Amino acid sequence: MKVILILYGEVALRFSPRMELELEERTTVGELLRELGISAVEHHILVNERKVDHSRVLKDGDVVKVLPVIYGG
């Protein structure tokens, strides 16, 4: 299956801001992030514009956005 991965911040500089990836069926968001070495704790994950956790199973055609958590005050 194919998903589109859109990255922001530091991880976009490390990889590419936008990638199309071929994944095995039933891959979870957590598995994808681990494979890329991206911390789920330090990023907000959106699939098709909805915030999800690491257990979300990806489907063909999903758009996954990885946004850094911003701290400040």
Side-chain angles (χ1 to χ4, degrees), residues 11-68:
V11 291
L13 297 174
R14 190 170 29 153
F15 295 103
S16 172
R18 183 182 174 95
M19 297 183 282
E20 187 173 306
L21 301 174
E22 185 74 37
L23 302 175
E24 291 186 26
E25 295 292 324
R26 311 245 351 120
T27 298
T28 66
V29 169
E31 291 167 340
L32 171 60
L33 295 178
R34 272 191 300 279
E35 187 174 310
L36 296 173
I38 297 173
S39 168
V41 175
E42 297 174 358
H43 296 87
H44 294 290
I45 311 302
L46 285 80
V47 175
N48 303 325
E49 301 299 332
R50 293 182 178 256
K51 188 166 173 149
V52 299
D53 67 17
H54 66 277
S55 64
R56 167 69 153 69
V57 176
L58 296 169
K59 299 176 187 150
D60 189 50
D62 278 347
V63 177
V64 181
K65 290 185 179 179
V66 179
L67 298 103

Side-chain angles (χ1 to χ4, degrees), residues 1-16:
M1 75 175 167
K2 289 185 182 179
V3 300
I4 297 194
L5 180 64
I6 300 174
L7 304 171
Y8 295 88
E10 180 183 314
V11 291
L13 297 174
R14 190 170 29 153
F15 295 103
S16 172

